[in-house]
Amino acid sequence: MPRESDRIAHPWGARTPYGPGRPWPVRVDSFLQPGMSAEHIERWVPTASLLHSNGDAMDIAVADGRIVGVRGRAGDRVNRGRLGPKDLFGWQANHATDRLTTPLVRDGGELVACDWDIAMARIVTAAKSLLGERGPGAIGFYTSGQLFLEEYYTLAVIARAGIGTNHLDGNTRLCTATAAEALKETFGCDGQPASYADVDHADVIALFGHNMAETQPVLWMRALDRLEGPEPPRLVCVDPRPTPAARCATVHLAPRAGTNVALLNALLHEIIRTDRIDRDYIDARTVGFDELAAQVATCTPAWAAGICDVPARKIEHAAEVLGEAERLLSTVLQGVYQSHQATAAAVQVNNLQLIRGMLGRPGCGVLQMNGQPTAENTRECGADGDLPGFRNWQNDRHVTDLAEIWNVEPTRIPHYAPPTPAMQIFRYAEQGSIRMLWISGTNPAVSLPDLARIRSILGQERLFTVVQDLFLTETAQLADVVMPAATWGEKTGTFTNADRTVHLSDKAVDPPGEARPDLDIFLDFARRMDFRDRDERPLIAWHDPESAFEAWKRCSEGRPCDYTGLTYDRLRGDSGIQWPCTAQAPDGTERLYTGGITWAAPDVCETYGRDLVTGAAVSETEYRALNPDGRAVLKAAEYLPPHEDTDDEYPLQLNTGRTLYHFHTRTKTGRVPQLNAAAPDVWVELSPSEASRHGLAEGDLVEVTSPRGSLRGRLRITGIRDGMVFVPFHYGYWDTPAGDQPGADGGGRAANETTVTDWDPASKQPLFKTAAARLTLIAPGDGAIAPAPTTGASAPVHPRTIPPTIGGPAAVAVHTTDVLEGGAR
């Protein structure tokens, strides 16, 4: 029997409890625009979520050539039919009236409409001119976590073997780079060891800096259903904010920002001290245990308590829960990745799993999570600072192998240094060595740190900036050429989620106006540039998504991310399929490392690793001496204080992050009525003690100031730890009178006006969670209420005075639990 609920007010919907080792029950969620019902739907088109990294499978409802709704897919392994609020309502952004429909070029200082020939001619002329005058290093590419695998792979071939530049990265550098680096440091290659199905089996789930309820709401539904079923798992939650997971946790640790390594070293210390380790597993599968044990020998809970401001007894309790687990699943996200010593901390979580022997079995594993839906694809395809197919830029045989696949000379693929990370690309643009920057599907004028600096870089006359996007974003407003792109539902391609599940997203409707798929734009550029291989044939021989996918399969063959067992037809089945998928594993691979650590051997590993403090690359000789047999590396790390700490002038730690209802810089979700109404503007969070200390009350208009800049928002008093101020990072200026920057009153809105230009030495991921700041009262609230939702970590400590976040009739979705297996297709 179908049931209805307001999915803004109840983001995770109804419970379907289940016990350990049982299959997660089906619950199919759907939402159709008002006036539509099943009989109006002309066809359902398979796809998956594009507004977070969970990879929820769904079908797009099409009527009269328009998208009119979505429903979850019952047979899919990822979501079993469930959809989160962004899945249910986000498709409406496709219909926004301010979509870009024609190319734009800058003439006389203004962006004016033109046709594709004019726009592409400007780009090709600039590219050829720079190649002739300055060489390939003058051109850089900064892409997204929103495109499809086929598009990333094509872009990687264009950049690496066409242009020949080392300057290609994605905005996944902001959310996923540490996940990839941590996996490479420990296992010798990228690739998620665990599976979402491990939630079904775990007896302890540990969330390290992972607000799962708001970042992967459907995965949280899976955890909630286990918590309400028989024999529920115990939760350990590390987060300075009172997230929904923290409220459910057996142990909640809320450390000071920038102290994750100290906390994790204390947990490792306790587990080793109490001999809760798997010595046989350590001896057979790892190297480095003695060094790790020596590093944490003095890291007692009392020592860590003095650094983290967490009671020692709570650290001991957490270590006891982790140490007694029989099936331990750990997950990690931005609370670790965007904080001080990011890779060092993420690696310690891997160490925890390894010394406990918790890998390769149901319920045992680590999920170094992603933030964006196709972040995994940027990593596989080499569009994020790696070579395609998880190849090692320091290994000449890997480069030669790649050159054979592309039929070019190895010297044509730049590998004199590691691929350039995003923050360095912008630094080169600032210094003037990069003169053309092509930005696809992302909005650095809101998402990068220290925005005043980023605006000055993008606004330089000497920098030729190309942007392809759906809307005239803050970044696009500064561009020289803007190209209208098609999006999810308007083009075909594949994307892979954080647990390696590959989904196909078929085209459902035509894009608006002259908007084109990103793949078509890249192919058009390659054709006009006349890139050739060593036999003078076109460098890029594919012509559509499926032929691009087949080309990628050849590149992935024999590598960890082997796609050779997948086809578009197979991906049109009931469920997505996990890589590696090969002739030997035709149904995909649920968990990695079930038979040992397989990709850490010196000849096949993706990297030889880095020094976690300095970021210096480990040489091949050093790696062969450390790990000749290719075992997992237990890499120890010393705790070091954050680079920017609090002082009398800036007494608060500044923390930024996501909310349940928005994605990235609100480019899409800000144009979705239900999502925008749930969190319409920026706010500022403070604990009751800090609010009292500052003489502030709920709803007061306050200014957050750091050494870089400031922003203004209304205050929400929450259960966040003392000494910290939190600001959501989604809000920019496209829907303000100023358009692309703070208004004349100087009151910024974007969190990144205040964040620091600093990054992790190993992963090069910017640090958005360790700046220092102060608060100033601008105006009393006088009854005003902060525009923060009450459903997640931003819930007020005094809820009686704050109306709950609801969506009303416009947010009512349908769900049913009496669906036959696979019956929702």
Side-chain angles (χ1 to χ4, degrees):
M1 178 67 71
R3 297 186 177 182
E4 296 182 339
S5 63
D6 179 342
R7 293 297 300 279
I8 292 295
H10 305 287
W12 306 288
R15 299 279 56 80
T16 55
Y18 69 119
R22 306 294 300 170
W24 191 22
V26 169
R27 186 193 87 196
V28 174
D29 298 342
S30 63
F31 176 75
L32 299 176
Q33 74 178 38
M36 280 287 162
S37 59
E39 59 266 25
H40 297 109
I41 307 307
E42 295 168 2
R43 63 184 184 279
W44 294 92
V45 180
T47 184
S49 55
L50 193 68
L51 295 174
H52 53 78
S53 67
N54 203 56
D56 305 331
M58 67 179 90
D59 296 322
I60 296 173
V62 179
D64 297 327
R66 284 173 58 85
I67 298 174
V68 295
V70 292
R71 71 178 180 193
R73 296 173 68 191
D76 195 87
R77 60 172 308 280
V78 170
N79 57 326
R80 307 277 287 167
R82 291 161 186 78
L83 297 175
K86 290 195 284 283
D87 301 331
L88 287 164
F89 308 121
W91 54 270
Q92 297 167 103
N94 287 43
H95 299 160
T97 56
D98 58 345
R99 284 283 302 270
L100 290 168
T101 56
T102 66
L104 307 172
V105 294
R106 190 167 297 279
D107 276 336
E110 301 292 327
L111 286 171
V112 297
C114 66
D115 62 29
W116 276 101
D117 278 339
I118 291 174
M120 292 302 292
R122 290 214 181 177
I123 298 169
V124 169
T125 298
K128 288 183 174 178
S129 174
L130 286 169
L131 280 173
E133 295 173 5
R134 294 174 173 270
I139 300 174
F141 296 88
Y142 183 55
T143 188
S144 177
Q146 291 270 287
L147 307 187
F148 291 148
L149 176 151
E150 295 80 357
E151 294 162 340
Y152 294 132
Y153 183 56
T154 303
L155 177 59
V157 180
I158 287 173
R160 308 284 188 214
I163 297 289
T165 181
N166 215 19
H167 310 321
L168 165 61
D169 201 3
N171 69 6
T172 50
R173 181 68 54 184
L174 316 182
C175 69
T176 302
T178 300
E181 190 64 32
L183 294 171
K184 289 186 286 187
E185 294 289 345
T186 300
F187 302 106
C189 89
D190 201 349
Q192 204 69 255
S195 162
Y196 290 166
D198 287 317
V199 172
D200 305 346
H201 303 275
D203 65 338
V204 173
I205 300 174
L207 298 96
F208 294 95
H210 183 193
N211 183 358
M212 185 190 287
E214 298 193 66
T215 54
Q216 283 88 24
V218 168
L219 189 60
W220 179 240
M221 294 174 201
R222 199 165 188 155
L224 280 176
D225 287 348
R226 277 294 319 278
L227 290 171
E228 294 207 3
E231 301 179 60
R234 292 184 291 175
L235 298 188
V236 174
C237 179
V238 178
D239 201 306
R241 300 175 70 212
T243 66
R247 295 179 200 126
C248 296
T250 305
V251 189
H252 174 208
L253 306 174
R256 281 177 56 82
T259 65
N260 290 323
V261 167
L263 179 64
L264 280 154
N265 279 352
L267 294 173
L268 291 166
H269 167 95
E270 277 296 282
I271 288 170
I272 294 172
R273 183 187 67 80
T274 55
D275 199 27
R276 292 182 167 112
I277 61 174
D278 186 334
R279 174 56 78 172
D280 290 341
Y281 189 94
I282 293 168
D283 290 343
R285 305 285 172 81
T286 73
V287 295
F289 177 75
D290 291 344
E291 292 81 356
L292 176 67
Q295 179 65 59
V296 302
T298 59
C299 300
T300 64
W303 167 82
I307 296 170
C308 306
D309 191 23
V310 171
R313 59 179 171 74
K314 294 191 75 171
I315 299 175
E316 293 167 355
H317 189 195
E320 182 180 314
V321 173
L322 296 169
E324 291 180 348
E326 296 181 0
R327 297 176 302 281
L328 171 63
L329 173 66
S330 291
T331 76
V332 193
L333 197 60
Q334 310 303 5
V336 170
Y337 301 159
Q338 294 180 342
S339 190
H340 174 61
Q341 289 192 283
T343 305
V347 163
Q348 301 318 304
V349 179
N350 295 342
N351 291 344
L352 174 63
Q353 294 292 138
L354 286 164
I355 67 170
R356 293 238 50 236
M358 295 286 171
L359 211 65
R361 295 184 283 121
C364 302
V366 60
L367 291 166
Q368 298 280 357
M369 295 295 296
N370 300 341
Q372 293 203 68
T374 61
E376 187 65 44
N377 299 120
T378 66
R379 288 148 60 176
E380 298 157 3
C381 296
D384 75 328
D386 291 308
L387 293 184
F390 295 153
R391 288 177 171 84
N392 186 345
W393 67 270
Q394 291 175 282
N395 187 325
D396 287 342
R397 280 167 293 182
H398 286 198
V399 176
T400 300
D401 178 40
L402 190 60
E404 286 297 317
I405 293 168
W406 292 346
N407 195 31
V408 299
E409 296 300 327
T411 52
R412 193 159 154 187
I413 302 172
H415 58 284
Y416 51 84
T420 314
M423 294 299 288
Q424 191 63 39
I425 289 175
F426 279 83
R427 177 65 173 152
Y428 288 152
E430 184 176 45
Q431 293 174 325
S433 63
I434 287 181
R435 293 298 180 95
M436 174 177 167
L437 184 57
W438 186 328
I439 301 168
S440 48
T442 187
N443 190 14
V446 177
S447 60
L448 286 181
D450 195 357
L451 287 181
R453 172 175 174 256
I454 298 302
R455 286 191 291 267
S456 73
I457 294 171
L458 293 173
Q460 296 175 100
E461 286 194 11
R462 68 183 177 192
L463 180 67
F464 184 79
T465 307
V466 178
V467 171
Q468 62 193 63
D469 213 316
L470 315 186
F471 301 99
L472 197 61
T473 64
E474 291 84 344
T475 301
Q477 292 177 53
L478 299 170
D480 295 284
V481 177
V482 179
M483 295 182 284
T487 186
W488 174 96
E490 299 165 355
K491 58 181 183 176
T492 293
T494 52
F495 45 8
T496 307
N497 74 353
D499 87 338
R500 297 173 283 103
T501 302
V502 184
H503 285 110
L504 175 68
S505 182
D506 267 324
K507 177 180 175 179
V509 298
D510 290 328
E514 298 177 35
R516 301 168 70 184
D518 298 273
L519 179 63
D520 288 3
I521 295 171
F522 293 142
L523 291 175
D524 189 9
F525 175 71
R527 180 181 61 79
R528 292 173 188 255
M529 291 294 290
D530 197 26
F531 296 129
R532 298 278 167 172
D533 66 12
R534 59 186 166 197
D535 294 326
E536 289 303 311
R537 294 176 301 194
L539 174 66
I540 296 175
W542 49 93
H543 51 82
D544 64 7
E546 188 161 7
S547 57
F549 184 77
E550 292 298 318
W552 160 249
K553 283 167 59 177
R554 185 185 170 213
C555 186
S556 75
E557 185 173 4
R559 298 301 299 164
C561 51
D562 194 324
Y563 278 62
T564 51
L566 296 173
T567 64
Y568 270 24
D569 281 346
R570 289 201 67 198
L571 292 172
R572 290 191 172 100
D574 284 339
S575 176
I577 300 172
Q578 290 172 286
W579 63 250
C581 182
T582 65
Q584 293 73 38
D587 296 325
T589 306
E590 190 159 52
R591 294 175 190 85
L592 301 183
Y593 312 130
T594 55
I597 308 304
T598 48
W599 289 98
D603 289 336
V604 296
C605 64
E606 185 181 356
T607 178
Y608 303 124
R610 292 181 177 277
D611 185 293
L612 298 181
V613 174
T614 67
V618 175
S619 71
E620 179 179 351
T621 302
E622 292 170 320
Y623 187 80
R624 286 185 182 278
L626 168 72
N627 195 19
D629 300 322
R631 298 177 181 178
V633 179
L634 293 167
K635 208 160 196 172
E638 176 190 8
Y639 166 72
L640 299 170
H643 300 155
E644 181 170 299
D645 207 349
T646 56
D647 57 23
D648 291 343
E649 187 175 4
Y650 300 103
L652 295 168
Q653 289 193 307
L654 175 64
N655 190 0
T656 69
R658 272 207 265 179
T659 187
L660 172 65
Y661 302 106
H662 285 303
F663 179 76
H664 198 226
T665 60
R666 229 171 115 259
T667 304
K668 296 188 183 77
T669 53
R671 291 171 167 92
V672 175
Q674 297 90 337
L675 300 176
N676 195 49
D681 207 344
V682 69
W683 67 90
V684 178
E685 290 180 25
L686 212 58
S687 74
S689 297
E690 288 296 345
S692 175
R693 192 171 299 128
H694 285 78
L696 300 172
E698 169 77 27
D700 284 353
L701 182 63
V702 297
E703 185 165 85
V704 181
T705 303
S706 79
R708 272 73 53 189
S710 64
L711 65 97
R712 292 179 181 180
R714 294 204 175 272
L715 186 68
R716 164 62 48 85
I717 299 175
T718 74
I720 191 173
R721 64 159 289 124
D722 291 342
M724 182 174 284
V725 57
F726 172 87
V727 180
F729 59 46
H730 304 286
Y731 300 90
Y733 305 100
W734 60 264
D735 53 345
T736 69
D740 65 349
Q741 59 186 308
D745 64 357
R749 188 191 197 198
N752 284 317
E753 303 291 352
T754 59
T755 49
V756 62
T757 299
D758 192 4
W759 54 84
D760 179 70
S763 70
K764 317 302 180 188
Q765 180 162 348
L767 308 184
F768 292 110
K769 295 179 182 291
T770 54
R774 66 169 178 262
L775 272 189
T776 307
L777 175 66
I778 300 301
D782 292 333
I785 294 170
T790 63
T791 47
S794 304
V797 292
H798 302 299
R800 291 181 182 176
T801 63
I802 310 294
T805 298
I806 60 172
V812 172
V814 174
H815 79 263
T816 181
T817 55
D818 54 355
V819 180
L820 296 175
E821 288 293 304
R825 292 295 313 275

